[in-house]
């Protein structure tokens, strides 16, 4: 089973998105897609007079922003992706965590910063495996927007990398799961200004070294933290690569980054 998270500059680039979705549709066996959409939400918000509030790359989700991301992630982006997958022969179903109670979460506690209606997923026990298996059994490909629910009637804005990681961990109890973080870069880069400086393999020891050296920083840290967390909980393999590399992930020509514990 392949779980793919797509984000970055791919979602708002029609040509790259189309190519990616064609490749995703051709992946054999059961698969699942998780998408982001932060840049689209920010652009739509500015059109509506809602300016994004960010702290260290994380969005502050006040009530107004929650309405915005619910509309953009769960509506505009999700349904466009599902429609495009249908057009290339992939029978997709668009979902948030609230649908079929697929992903429950809790509102992030207020500490130094109040992130508002941001959701944290407790772990794989928060995933409705039976619902997911029913979708797969029906020949459907789930496409998740980065939204969960608190089981009390509220939608929560939730990091898409985290959702992909927790879904992969939950499904790893029943399947051999490959988790792919696919975005606009070719992988984890040694030099952020050189797109060809891909680090082909990173284990946990090397990851800690790269963080200490400042090679891995900012938004890549939560992405890799989620990835290594998934490996520790039974996910077979985690790959980080550009969208165009999706069809090469199980071939000798794969050129992205492969993560491992040892």
């Amino acid at each position: 089973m392949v779980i793919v998270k797509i984000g970055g500059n791919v979602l708002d680039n029609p040509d790259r998105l189309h190519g990616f979705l064609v490749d995703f549709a051709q992946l054999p066996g059961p698969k699942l897609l998780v998408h982001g959409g932060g840049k689209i939400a920010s652009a739509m918000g500015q059109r509506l007079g809602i300016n994004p509030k960010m702290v260290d790359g994380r969005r502050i989700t006040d009530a107004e922003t929650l309405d915005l991301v619910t509309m953009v992630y769960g509506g505009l982006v999700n349904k466009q992706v599902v429609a495009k997958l249908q057009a290339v022969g992939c029978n997709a179903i668009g979902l948030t965590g609230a649908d079929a109670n697929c992903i429950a979460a809790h509102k992030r506690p207020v500490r130094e910063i109040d992130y508002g209606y941001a959701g944290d997923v407790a772990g794989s026990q928060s995933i409705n495996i039976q619902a997911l298996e029913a979708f797969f059994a029906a020949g459907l490909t789930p496409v998740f927007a980065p939204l969960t629910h608190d089981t009390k009637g509220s939608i929560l804005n939730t990091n898409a990398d985290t959702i992909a990681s927790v879904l992969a961990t939950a499904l790893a109890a029943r399947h051999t799961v490959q988790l792919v973080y696919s975005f606009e870069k070719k992988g984890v880069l040694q030099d952020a200004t050189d797109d060809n400086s891909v680090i082909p393999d990173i284990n946990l020891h090397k990851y800690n070294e790269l963080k200490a050296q400042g090679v891995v920083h900012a938004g890549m840290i939560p992405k890799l933290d989620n990835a290594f967390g998934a490996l520790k909980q039974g996910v077979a393999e985690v790959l980080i690569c550009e969208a165009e590399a999706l069809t090469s992930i199980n071939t000798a020509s794969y050129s992205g980054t492969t993560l491992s514990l040892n």
Side-chain angles (χ1 to χ4, degrees):
M1 176 174 291
V2 182
I3 295 176
V4 182
K5 187 267 176 171
I6 184 67
N9 293 321
V10 179
L11 281 168
D12 52 0
N13 182 318
D15 292 336
R16 291 193 79 175
L17 179 60
H18 175 74
F20 165 81
L21 293 175
V22 168
D23 293 343
F24 176 80
Q26 294 172 354
L27 292 175
K31 51 188 174 283
L32 185 154
L33 182 64
V34 180
H35 65 77
K39 293 181 180 179
I40 298 171
S42 294
M44 181 65 73
Q46 288 175 337
R47 284 167 58 184
L48 298 173
I50 304 170
N51 292 316
K53 307 174 188 72
M54 311 290 285
V55 176
D56 295 330
R58 292 183 179 270
R59 189 181 300 270
I60 304 295
T61 309
D62 56 19
E64 190 176 44
T65 302
L66 181 64
D67 286 347
L68 171 69
V69 298
T70 301
M71 289 188 291
V72 173
Y73 299 161
L76 179 66
V77 177
N78 188 263
K79 300 315 171 192
Q80 285 184 341
V81 168
V82 169
K84 292 178 189 300
L85 282 173
Q86 297 293 357
V88 294
C90 179
N91 194 8
I93 180 168
L95 301 164
T96 71
D99 296 296
N101 190 29
C102 279
I103 312 171
H106 59 269
K107 188 172 178 287
R108 185 171 301 157
V110 178
R111 296 192 176 94
E112 294 86 4
I113 299 166
D114 183 356
Y115 285 98
Y117 295 96
D120 290 330
V121 184
S124 58
Q125 69 272 19
S126 302
I127 305 299
N128 186 345
I129 289 291
Q130 288 74 24
L132 294 175
E133 294 288 10
F135 293 133
F136 295 131
L140 296 169
T141 295
V143 177
F144 275 98
L147 300 166
T148 59
H149 76 124
D150 67 356
T151 74
K152 301 170 185 175
S154 293
I155 291 285
L156 296 171
N157 183 18
T158 304
N159 181 272
D161 290 340
T162 301
I163 287 177
S165 174
V166 176
L167 286 169
T169 299
L171 288 162
R174 301 187 181 200
H175 303 268
T176 300
V177 174
Q178 188 177 44
L179 174 59
V180 182
Y181 287 108
S182 186
F183 64 148
E184 74 274 11
K185 300 293 185 181
K186 294 182 178 180
V188 180
L189 304 179
Q190 182 71 42
D191 178 355
T193 64
D194 181 2
D195 284 346
N196 293 312
S197 64
V198 175
I199 305 170
D201 298 286
I202 301 176
N203 61 23
L204 195 52
H205 176 72
K206 186 169 185 178
Y207 174 44
N208 289 325
E209 285 186 342
L210 292 170
K211 279 197 294 187
Q213 295 163 2
V215 173
V216 173
H217 57 91
M220 282 303 295
I221 290 178
K223 187 183 295 290
L224 292 177
D225 283 346
N226 282 316
F228 280 106
L231 288 169
K232 290 175 182 176
Q233 297 180 70
V235 172
E237 187 175 52
V238 180
L239 307 176
I240 298 179
C241 60
E242 65 179 342
E244 288 78 6
L246 192 61
T247 55
S248 72
I249 57 176
N250 293 311
T251 71
S253 62
Y254 171 69
S255 59
T257 299
T258 301
L259 305 181
S260 62
L261 292 179
N262 300 312

